[in-house]
Amino acid sequence: MVRLDNITLRYRPDAKPALDRVDCHLAAGSFTWLMGPSGAGKSSLLKLLQLAMRPSAGQLYVMDRPIHTARRQELPGLRRRIGVVFQDFRLLPHLDVLENVALPLRIAGRGERQLLADATEMLRWVGLGDRLKARPEELSGGEQQRVALARAVVARPALLLADEPTSNLDEAQSRRVVALLQQMHRLGSTVVVATHNQWLAEENPAAILRLEAGRLLEHG
Amino acid sequence: MAERTPRARGRDPLGLKRAMADRLLPGLVAAMALLAALAMAGANAAAAMASRWEGGAAAAMMVQLPRNIAVAPAAARLAGLPGVAEAIALDHDRLAALLRPWLGDASGLPLPGMIELRLTSLGPASLALPAAIEAAIPGAQVEAHGVWVARLSALARSLQALAWLVLALVAGVAAAMVAVATRAGIAARRATIVILHDMGATDGTIARRFAGRIAWLAGLGAVLGAAAAAPLLWLLGGLAAPLLGDTLAMPWLALAALPPAAAGIAWATAHAAVRLWLRSLP
């Protein structure tokens, strides 16, 4: 599903690399914890995997497509098969909850009736079936996180990425979000979750990628 | 402001209805459309004047024959010259009638033979005609007022070209305004655009959303501008009537074409501007 061969990422040509010669392979259908302290390169790695950036050096394959050489026009189609839960949710404030969740389906060109039905079902799945018309600012942090999760999974992505999805949540809410991510994993998605919460990984054993200062320390 | 339905909001995921002001751009485009309508009317009026001058008084020459030349054979000879559509011999009674306002009853006066030449056009051939007449009928005098009318006609044609240039400038300024408005819209919705881009929205999809909104605003402004121009053009048409010999026809087709033209220019400009900006994203 994902392969990184000697990947280096720099935000500026003269800057210290955010990722430094990283090699790893994530199998299709796997669940992986991406761990490390703040500034280790977790978010940078996720940015590469969500195709928001291209590597400065090395070879990156996502869904078996060579991203380092892909033409720009090829990327939107791949991005539509990737769901992302952002640390800061990135919900659109001018849209209500239902429309936020329906957005990936709208981008994919689904029919109006079907996309609203699917978005409603997904919001029920994350326990927000009664908040369809609410604006994001009317929701608590935990609720916003679940909306972001619903939006990330509504198009049934092949690759689901979550960047610190529990950083703003208490333990109970964190467990609920992780349970939803695991449910998506059981439904067939390849899941990568960046976190610095060791206890989450210990409670939910899975493969671990451990980064520190841009270098991959552990892969297993 | 009334709350929009989720369905309506869903068709505007970028929130452009709020981000892109619905007063400023239509107002500016309305002003541009008004100027464009005036320029088009100016071009039409100049064309009508040039055409009238070229086909009216200018397209005629008066030839005074020497005393020893018979009018009818001379008219036949002149009718065969290049650029002459018709040679009309003016009989004694008609000449007397023409002179009556100045000389009173001139029926007893010895009047010269006169021939009116109707020209096919005021082209280069007409400039060579006096020499050709002189060669055909030595001693004939030509009243070539068409030369200065040709100059007036050239002036009218220049005014027409100037009006088209003004129209092109107006279109260029309108396109620049749209580009600025588009950049402002992009700045206001940058984060949203990036989110949609990262979700897999294509450049074309995002650009079409912007272009559609801008085209709607520009089209609306052009409708207002065309509506404001109509009474002005009617008034100006009345003022130009003495010069044209008739009231200038209202350019309804041109006025009706303004909104789609403005919308088209706006759509193309906004689409290109957004696509250009999107190239900065991976």
Side-chain angles (χ1 to χ4, degrees):
Chain A
M1 169 61 71
V2 173
R3 204 175 90 214
L4 292 85
D5 290 342
N6 207 25
I7 286 289
T8 295
L9 176 68
R10 294 175 200 272
Y11 288 97
R12 288 193 317 275
D14 57 341
K16 190 179 161 206
L19 293 172
D20 190 6
R21 288 164 288 163
V22 173
D23 289 290
C24 70
H25 173 253
L26 306 176
S30 61
F31 190 109
T32 305
W33 294 107
L34 180 57
M35 306 199 68
S38 294
K42 302 190 297 293
S43 295
S44 296
L45 183 54
L46 288 183
K47 278 182 189 167
L48 281 182
L49 299 187
Q50 74 173 87
L51 315 183
M53 298 188 78
R54 298 220 202 196
S56 309
Q59 296 179 329
L60 170 65
Y61 297 85
V62 174
M63 286 177 259
D64 302 324
R65 303 287 286 275
I67 304 305
H68 52 285
T69 58
R71 288 184 304 132
R72 196 169 173 276
Q73 299 94 304
E74 295 175 47
L75 299 183
L78 288 172
R79 289 191 185 108
R80 287 196 283 274
R81 298 174 61 198
I82 301 171
V84 186
V85 185
F86 298 98
Q87 186 175 2
D88 54 357
F89 318 136
R90 296 198 196 173
L91 301 177
L92 302 188
H94 56 279
L95 298 181
D96 62 28
V97 162
L98 180 63
E99 281 300 333
N100 262 286
V101 174
L103 207 49
L105 301 173
R106 216 176 268 291
I107 289 169
R110 302 275 176 84
E112 187 75 15
R113 190 188 297 264
Q114 186 60 48
L115 69 85
L116 290 177
D118 287 355
T120 303
E121 182 194 335
M122 201 51 63
L123 280 164
R124 289 201 183 108
W125 180 68
V126 297
L128 292 170
D130 57 342
R131 306 302 306 273
L132 302 181
K133 299 284 183 274
R135 293 295 181 105
E137 75 263 19
E138 296 167 14
L139 304 179
S140 69
E143 288 173 325
Q144 288 188 46
Q145 188 63 285
R146 280 185 277 154
V147 174
L149 179 60
R151 187 180 66 182
V153 302
V154 70
R156 312 280 178 196
L159 177 61
L160 176 58
L161 309 171
D163 189 5
E164 302 280 5
T166 60
S167 62
N168 299 311
L169 308 180
D170 60 26
E171 283 192 14
Q173 286 181 324
S174 298
R175 286 193 175 94
R176 182 165 189 178
V177 166
V178 170
L180 293 171
L181 290 169
Q182 287 181 320
Q183 207 169 330
M184 283 308 297
H185 171 235
R186 282 193 291 276
L187 289 171
S189 293
T190 303
V191 181
V192 181
V193 184
T195 183
H196 59 266
N197 287 338
Q198 187 69 36
W199 64 269
L200 272 179
E202 286 168 358
E203 272 190 15
N204 305 278
I208 291 179
L209 285 178
R210 193 179 301 278
L211 288 165
E212 194 169 311
R215 302 297 303 270
L216 184 61
L217 299 183
E218 177 187 348
H219 182 196
Chain B
M1 193 170 150
E3 182 71 5
R4 294 187 177 94
T5 64
R7 191 180 168 84
R9 283 199 302 271
R11 286 176 182 157
D12 182 25
L14 286 163
L16 295 178
K17 285 180 184 166
R18 197 172 298 175
M20 303 184 84
D22 53 4
R23 288 191 187 89
L24 183 62
L25 186 62
L28 291 172
V29 173
M32 291 291 118
L34 179 62
L35 290 176
L38 293 177
M40 279 195 298
N44 285 344
M49 273 193 278
S51 171
R52 176 177 152 72
W53 288 339
E54 285 168 4
M61 280 185 184
M62 293 299 288
V63 180
Q64 183 181 330
L65 301 175
R67 288 197 177 278
N68 57 342
I69 300 292
V71 176
R77 210 176 311 155
L78 294 180
L81 294 177
V84 175
E86 195 180 2
I88 304 164
L90 300 182
D91 58 29
H92 188 275
D93 291 343
R94 187 163 170 212
L95 279 175
L98 287 171
L99 293 172
R100 191 166 295 124
W102 290 274
L103 302 178
D105 184 11
S107 55
L109 285 176
L111 296 174
M114 299 289 288
I115 295 172
E116 181 184 344
L117 297 184
R118 295 282 168 86
L119 310 184
T120 51
S121 70
L122 269 182
S126 67
L127 296 175
L129 208 48
I133 294 168
E134 173 65 25
I137 305 172
Q141 292 178 25
V142 179
E143 206 291 296
H145 55 281
V147 174
W148 67 265
V149 174
R151 286 179 186 146
L152 273 181
S153 174
L155 176 66
R157 292 287 178 205
S158 302
L159 286 174
Q160 187 187 10
L162 197 63
W164 286 117
L165 182 65
V166 169
L167 191 64
L169 273 176
V170 165
V173 171
M177 271 175 1
V178 164
V180 170
T182 305
R183 296 298 292 231
I186 290 171
R189 284 291 181 257
R190 189 183 192 287
T192 304
I193 294 170
V194 171
I195 290 172
L196 262 64
H197 172 268
D198 288 351
M199 283 181 178
T202 61
D203 291 0
T205 303
I206 296 171
R208 277 194 297 275
R209 295 240 177 225
F210 267 91
R213 174 69 179 157
I214 291 265
W216 163 252
L217 293 176
L220 183 67
V223 166
L224 297 174
L232 279 177
L233 295 185
W234 183 78
L235 281 172
L236 290 174
L239 290 173
L243 291 173
L244 298 173
D246 194 6
T247 307
L248 190 63
M250 279 292 283
W252 293 118
L253 194 63
L255 286 177
L258 272 177
I265 290 171
W267 196 95
T269 306
H271 196 266
V274 174
R275 271 189 172 273
L276 195 65
W277 183 83
L278 283 169
R279 294 199 69 77
S280 65
L281 300 180

